[in-house]
Amino acid sequence: MSHWSADLELARELAQAADQLTMQRFLAQDLQVETKPDLTPVSDADRAVERLIRERLASERPADAVIGEEYGADRGSSDREWIIDPIDGTKNFIRGAPVWATLLALRAGGQVVVGVVSAPAIGGWWWASRGEGAWTVRATGRVVPCRVSQVSALSDAFLAYGDVRSWALHGRGEQFAALTQRVWRTRGFGDFWAHM
């Protein structure tokens, strides 16, 4: 097993542990939600997942740095950094929409070498490691490589976006509206799902 394979396996284990925790808190009547200084929400599940992952990394990879959305950066003594978004799509999570995921990545020597996306409420898994490709599991359970769309004409493209208002906030509302008229279909999935 290569070094990256061991790190990928650890990332997958961390995501599975996160899945157990997030699925226990998804749709929970006692879910605690606060507003962060940047006016985005954070739930007790976001914080619990990040703590869980940080504790496991402190045990399994004590020399590595950890950068997380909820608790910032902890320096390490190596050139390796784990990057955590415990629940990408917290707004969906707190409102009961199943489109959210745990995102984990490992950067070594300035390059991303491992990445995992786990969306347990929709049964989605994606992972990649440098030199080994990017993979996903279909609903049938079959593992298949991820690949870029073969659609070559904008008029045949599916446009996924996060929030229409953000385009207007950046002075591009009219350009965005014009783009939506040039594509085959649009959907505002937001967060990780549009990228996957």
Side-chain angles (χ1 to χ4, degrees):
M1 177 183 289
S2 75
H3 182 65
W4 302 131
S5 297
D7 288 327
L8 177 60
E9 186 57 33
L10 175 59
R12 289 173 54 111
E13 289 172 13
L14 294 170
Q16 287 174 331
D19 290 353
Q20 290 178 355
L21 203 157
T22 54
M23 288 304 291
Q24 290 171 1
R25 299 302 294 148
F26 185 54
L27 301 173
Q29 294 298 310
D30 64 341
L31 186 71
Q32 300 295 311
V33 180
E34 298 174 21
T35 301
K36 296 190 286 190
D38 67 359
L39 303 180
T40 60
V42 59
S43 73
D44 58 2
D46 291 89
R47 290 181 174 142
V49 167
E50 188 167 324
R51 282 193 307 269
L52 172 86
I53 293 171
R54 284 173 177 275
E55 288 169 9
R56 181 85 182 271
L57 288 171
S59 172
E60 302 272 338
R61 302 288 192 275
D64 294 355
V66 178
I67 303 167
E69 181 175 356
E70 307 310 332
Y71 294 108
D74 290 335
R75 293 179 183 237
S77 58
S78 73
D79 71 341
R80 297 161 40 95
E81 303 167 307
W82 291 88
I83 303 161
I84 308 165
D85 187 343
I87 300 177
D88 185 53
T90 298
K91 291 176 183 174
N92 288 341
F93 183 86
I94 66 176
R95 293 297 177 114
V99 183
W100 47 270
T102 296
L103 312 180
L104 296 169
L106 172 61
R107 185 168 46 203
Q111 294 187 22
V112 175
V113 295
V114 166
V116 171
V117 175
S118 180
I122 61 171
W125 265 96
W126 299 264
W127 66 93
S129 63
R130 186 163 292 281
E132 301 297 323
W135 303 87
T136 189
V137 178
R138 295 280 185 235
T140 61
R142 194 174 62 138
V143 175
V144 296
C146 295
R147 64 183 96 238
V148 176
S149 169
Q150 299 299 306
V151 172
S152 60
L154 191 58
S155 61
D156 293 329
F158 188 108
L159 172 64
Y161 58 91
D163 185 350
V164 173
R165 293 176 297 181
S166 66
W167 289 85
L169 286 172
H170 291 92
R172 302 212 179 249
E174 289 181 23
Q175 291 167 324
F176 178 74
L179 178 61
T180 66
Q181 298 304 308
R182 296 182 60 204
V183 298
W184 172 70
R185 188 97 170 145
T186 65
R187 284 292 181 261
F189 296 129
D191 305 302
F192 83 95
W193 187 240
H195 305 295
M196 295 296 106

